[in-house]
Amino acid sequence: QVQLVESGGGLVQPGGSLRLSCAASANIFRFYTMGWYRQAPGKQRELVAAITRGGSTNYADSVKGRFTISRNNAKVTVYLQMNSLKPEDTAVYYCNADGSLLGSSVYWGQGTQVTVSS
């Protein structure tokens, strides 16, 4: 069964840091574009950051300069380093694996809660 398992969420004070991890259960994900999305209460799910299999990245304007996405293809894991966190970063963060360019499916993790509050 194909799975994406996220970890690393939690409660942090404004200005703090967290690192999210997403481990994939299948080696095929090494060829997928991987991303992190988030959804705050009452808002639509939005792209936070994405990274292609070759390492090209893109970020939402709201997180540029504060968040960094990276991947370890040997471990089939993608990371999101979040620094200088703000209360408006509070949301459920979802890992995404997009195989559509390969004619495959799009997969989602179960989500991990990130709360930024003093």
Side-chain angles (χ1 to χ4, degrees):
Q1 183 178 359
V2 174
Q3 282 187 315
L4 298 173
V5 180
E6 301 119 332
S7 61
L11 173 64
V12 64
Q13 292 186 341
S17 298
L18 282 175
R19 188 194 196 205
L20 304 183
S21 298
C22 172
S25 63
N27 285 331
I28 189 66
F29 288 124
R30 290 183 293 172
F31 303 102
Y32 286 19
T33 292
M34 304 291 292
W36 288 95
Y37 288 70
R38 67 187 180 187
Q39 187 166 18
K43 295 188 177 181
Q44 288 188 329
R45 190 173 296 189
E46 63 175 358
L47 174 67
V48 176
I51 183 167
T52 68
R53 65 179 183 178
S56 297
T57 59
N58 70 288
Y59 296 90
D61 288 343
S62 59
V63 307
K64 284 180 180 177
R66 300 187 298 122
F67 291 10
T68 303
I69 190 170
S70 60
R71 66 191 296 165
N72 183 325
N73 285 335
K75 295 183 178 180
V76 204
T77 301
V78 63
Y79 307 96
L80 185 68
Q81 178 66 42
M82 305 185 293
N83 298 328
S84 302
L85 282 160
K86 304 175 181 180
E88 51 263 42
D89 295 317
T90 295
V92 178
Y93 284 70
Y94 296 91
C95 181
N96 169 274
D98 186 353
S100 58
L101 293 180
L102 302 174
S104 186
S105 301
V106 177
Y107 298 91
W108 293 93
Q110 81 284 357
T112 185
Q113 177 71 45
V114 171
T115 302
V116 185
S117 174
S118 55

